[in-house]
Structure formats: structure tokens, C-alpha cells
């Protein structure tokens, strides 16, 4: 019974996250591109979405820091490293460039695939290919 509760809870949390992305417009790449277009049709609403996410994230990390296991009973793995490494900076630059070119980041892209956006499907396939390449050739980053 506990296993089913865990699966249903995880499904519900994923659906809630996806709905939040749809309602906030984050699954629409044009909304992201308009945010990045500070000299044209700038749309600052993404700042509020990010601000809300940061507040929720900080609360979640605070709660997690007081626990020894996850909400669903599994091991809790909180990163211990806090150093800024060259692979972190390079990966961040690649992520930002992809986000700026395509208007998607991973979560909203998966939501957009579910709504039938071909551009999102191509983005997710390219993202998966990039992950596979990184796993294959850059094993020292883990």
C-alpha cells in the first residue's frame, strides 16, 4: 500500500508541476524568448515565476536539511560540494545558450512535448543526446 501511495504522490506532484508550468506560460518558448529580448518585446513576468520557484526551493531545502530520508522513505542525497568548477561553468553556459536559442529548459520542454509541440520534441531528443554524449565522454564530471 505504501508503494502505491508513493507512486501516486509522485505522479500528482509531477502533474502539479506541469500545470504550474502551463499556467505560468513557461511551456511556451515565445514567453521565454520575450523575457530574454530586453531591447524588444521584453516580458518581465518570468522574474516572478523564478522568484516563486526560488522561495519554494529554499523552503524545500530547509525542510530537507532537517531530515535523514526523503518524503517517500528513500535515501536523501543533498549535494555536499559547493565549489565552482570549470565543468560547472561550461555546462551552465551551454545550458543558457540552449535556453536562449530554443526558449526551452528541460522541465517545460517535457511539458510542451505532451502538448504536441514538435520543436519541444526536437529539443528533448537533442537534450537526451547531449546527456548521453556527456555520460560517455565526460565521466570525470560526476
Amino acid at each position: 500500500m505504501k508503494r502505491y501511495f508513493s507512486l501516486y504522490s509522485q505522479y500528482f506532484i509531477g502533474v502539479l508541476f506541469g500545470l504550474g508550468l502551463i499556467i505560468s506560460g513557461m511551456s511556451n518558448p515565445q514567453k521565454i524568448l520575450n523575457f530574454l529580448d530586453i531591447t524588444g518585446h521584453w516580458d518581465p513576468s518570468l522574474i516572478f515565476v523564478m522568484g516563486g520557484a526560488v522561495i519554494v526551493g529554499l523552503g524545500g531545502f530547509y525542510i530537507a536539511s532537517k531530515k535523514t530520508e526523503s518524503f517517500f522513505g528513500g535515501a536523501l542525497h543533498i549535494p555536499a560540494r559547493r565549489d565552482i568548477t570549470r565543468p560547472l561553468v561550461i555546462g551552465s553556459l551551454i545550458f543558457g545558450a540552449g535556453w536562449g536559442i530554443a526558449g526551452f529548459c528541460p522541465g517545460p520542454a517535457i511539458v510542451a512535448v505532451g502538448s504536441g509541440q514538435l520543436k519541444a520534441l526536437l529539443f528533448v531528443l537533442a537534450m537526451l543526446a547531449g546527456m548521453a554524449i556527456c555520460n560517455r565522454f565526460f565521466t570525470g564530471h560526476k
Side-chain angles (χ1 to χ4, degrees):
M1 182 69 178
K2 185 178 179 181
R3 179 176 179 260
Y4 289 113
F5 173 75
S6 176
L7 289 173
Y8 288 129
S9 298
Q10 292 173 46
Y11 176 77
F12 174 74
I13 290 168
V15 168
L16 186 63
F17 180 71
L19 285 173
L21 291 173
I22 291 168
I23 291 168
S24 66
M26 296 303 107
S27 62
N28 177 1
Q30 195 56 50
K31 183 139 183 112
I32 307 304
L33 295 174
N34 285 344
F35 172 73
L36 298 172
D37 184 10
I38 58 174
T39 61
H41 297 89
W42 187 57
D43 178 1
S45 62
L46 181 58
I47 293 170
F48 298 105
V49 174
M50 287 182 171
V54 167
I55 291 168
V56 170
L58 287 172
F61 274 108
Y62 175 78
I63 292 169
S65 71
K66 306 292 181 197
K67 299 193 168 285
T68 57
E69 64 179 31
S70 74
F71 178 74
F72 299 110
L76 187 62
H77 302 286
I78 297 178
R81 290 184 66 178
R82 299 191 186 282
D83 54 330
I84 298 175
T85 63
R86 186 174 181 204
L88 176 66
V89 171
I90 292 169
S92 298
L93 290 171
I94 293 170
F95 177 89
W99 188 47
I101 292 168
F104 287 117
C105 65
I110 292 170
V111 171
V113 167
S115 70
Q117 292 186 36
L118 178 61
K119 181 179 177 181
L121 177 62
L122 295 173
F123 177 87
V124 169
L125 291 174
M127 178 180 71
L128 292 172
M131 291 165 67
I133 290 167
C134 183
N135 238 7
R136 174 74 172 93
F137 296 106
F138 301 100
T139 56
H141 73 284
K142 296 178 184 176

